[in-house]
Amino acid sequence: MLTVDFTRFPLAAGDRVLDLGCGAGRHAFECYRRGAQVVALDQNGEEIREVAKWFAAMKEAGEAPEGATATAMEGDALNLPFPDDSFDVVIISEVMEHIPDDKGVLAEMVRVLKPGGRIAITVPRYGPEKICWTLSDAYHEVEGGHIRIYKADQLLARIREAGLKPYGTHHAHALHSPYWWLKCAFGVDNDRALPVRAYHKLLVWDIMKKPLATRVAEQLLNPVVGKSFVAYATKPHLPKAQA
């Protein structure tokens, strides 16, 4: 389940991509399939080891084209172990809402992104996320949980302040908002509640089968209750005099 829309965020074979805070690796895997040179980085060593196993399995199965590379590594988003201007593309999906120093993370992403490079940032959308916070303290008051809710204009202002130039936005995963509202209403750790189990089955069916009905429904509902807000931006080239 991808949050970044690669029709709006073009990726060329050979692009050097950083998936920052990669988690289980969903965007890193997609970039690898598209022929990129991928670095998946996360502070969670257990998840990174799983991502590395999946990279190896994809290579063995021939899922990635010739020339594509994939590396999984532990790292700190506030102190990236890469030189300036290292990547053509940076993706950070559902991460910034966890990090106290979000300006610091943005500064590091801008530092390692090449001039002319592209960045995709996704965060929980304000409205659906606010409902979750209202329904349940346990949803966000956990170690490593969400510490802020971004309004769209706040995130775009942060992006501009970091020296990036936004060029597009959209919302995603409308069908997932009601699931999390149910989870918050019945208890975030209570997976046995009938409404939660029933809706989870619907989401699994949708992800596995991709039926037209749910695809169309989600496209129609995304502007209203999309769970994620997605922003795309570029790093401007320096004026010739400065360069």
Side-chain angles (χ1 to χ4, degrees):
M1 184 186 73
L2 299 174
T3 308
V4 172
D5 181 352
F6 287 93
T7 65
R8 309 180 197 219
F9 189 67
L11 189 70
D15 275 351
R16 186 162 164 77
V17 177
L18 173 62
D19 185 2
L20 182 57
C22 64
R26 57 202 173 103
H27 289 105
F29 300 148
E30 181 64 19
C31 293
Y32 189 32
R33 291 188 187 98
R34 290 171 178 261
Q37 298 176 4
V38 184
V39 176
L41 184 144
D42 200 284
Q43 68 176 1
N44 187 316
E46 185 176 341
E47 286 197 309
I48 282 298
R49 287 187 286 274
E50 283 299 311
V51 170
K53 289 178 184 177
W54 278 104
F55 278 151
M58 290 172 69
K59 182 177 181 179
E60 180 70 21
E63 289 189 38
E66 186 176 352
T69 62
T71 303
M73 61 186 295
E74 284 187 65
D76 180 359
L78 289 164
N79 187 24
L80 296 174
F82 311 111
D84 297 356
D85 306 337
S86 297
F87 294 93
D88 302 289
V89 172
V90 176
I91 296 170
I92 184 165
S93 183
E94 311 298 303
V95 173
M96 287 181 56
E97 67 276 7
H98 297 271
I99 301 177
D101 186 7
D102 58 343
K103 290 184 179 181
V105 172
L106 273 167
E108 272 293 86
M109 289 191 289
V110 171
R111 180 183 67 78
V112 302
L113 185 65
K114 295 177 182 178
R118 304 172 305 285
I119 190 165
I121 299 173
T122 90
V123 297
R125 185 184 187 174
Y126 183 85
E129 182 76 349
K130 188 68 174 177
I131 292 173
C132 289
W133 283 44
T134 300
L135 289 171
S136 171
D137 290 335
Y139 171 79
H140 64 97
E141 290 183 356
V142 295
E143 184 178 355
H146 298 183
I147 62 171
R148 71 175 64 84
I149 309 176
Y150 288 101
K151 291 184 177 179
D153 58 352
Q154 291 174 326
L155 180 60
L156 292 172
R158 287 271 200 280
I159 291 170
R160 292 187 181 98
E161 288 167 5
L164 297 166
K165 184 177 180 180
Y167 70 84
T169 65
H170 65 88
H171 300 97
H173 308 319
L175 295 183
H176 288 250
S177 290
Y179 173 71
W180 283 102
W181 297 339
L182 288 170
K183 288 271 287 181
C184 289
F186 286 93
V188 290
D189 296 319
N190 180 13
D191 293 327
R192 293 177 295 176
L194 180 59
V196 174
R197 287 191 289 117
Y199 203 95
H200 184 261
K201 287 182 179 179
L202 170 66
L203 291 180
V204 171
W205 174 72
D206 171 55
I207 292 169
M208 299 301 295
K209 301 297 184 181
K210 297 181 174 63
L212 179 61
T214 55
R215 295 298 91 206
V216 171
E218 185 151 83
Q219 287 179 4
L220 293 173
L221 290 171
N222 273 337
V224 184
V225 292
K227 182 81 169 64
S228 294
F229 174 70
V230 188
Y232 305 108
T234 59
K235 179 178 177 178
H237 288 277
L238 286 173
K240 290 183 179 180
Q242 289 180 257

